[in-house]
Amino acid sequence: MYWALAGTIVVCVTIMAAFGIAAVTREWVPPLGRSLVLRPRLWGAGALMSALGLSLFVFLGPLAPGGRAVNFYVPLAGMAVNFAGLGVQSLARRPGRTPPLPPAPTTTAS
């Protein structure tokens, strides 16, 4: 049972990381969320953060080799990174800052 669960999580994390790499390098987002994402590179960075955090949490926490977690705080830090990545992905759905407009030309009447 352990290997089936670990293998499934490895596949899911690898797919998530592949989507993140594709979004960062090629600005490609999977079709399911393509219409919602306004900044694909930021979305990809969030996907990479989520993949890293989820793998830290799972493989150093509940599914640690030998059945013992490495440390109590390391899996919690992995979960914090996972949630931070999800937050970055949600920020990618909002429009970015627009550059300030140049000042309007002033005319002087003489």
Side-chain angles (χ1 to χ4, degrees), residues 2-39:
Y2 170 81
W3 292 109
L5 186 60
T8 304
I9 293 173
V10 165
V11 168
C12 291
V13 167
T14 304
I15 290 172
M16 190 184 314
F19 283 156
I21 291 171
V24 169
T25 58
R26 302 282 185 191
E27 295 187 358
W28 181 84
V29 178
L32 184 62
R34 190 173 295 159
S35 63
L36 301 174
V37 175
L38 300 175
R39 296 184 282 175

Side-chain angles (χ1 to χ4, degrees), residues 38-54:
L38 300 175
R39 296 184 282 175
R41 289 183 190 237
L42 186 63
W43 185 88
L48 287 173
M49 285 176 63
S50 292
L52 174 69
L54 186 62

Side-chain angles (χ1 to χ4, degrees), residues 89-100:
Q89 283 182 316
S90 70
L91 287 177
R93 294 179 176 200
R94 296 182 180 187
R97 294 184 180 173
T98 57

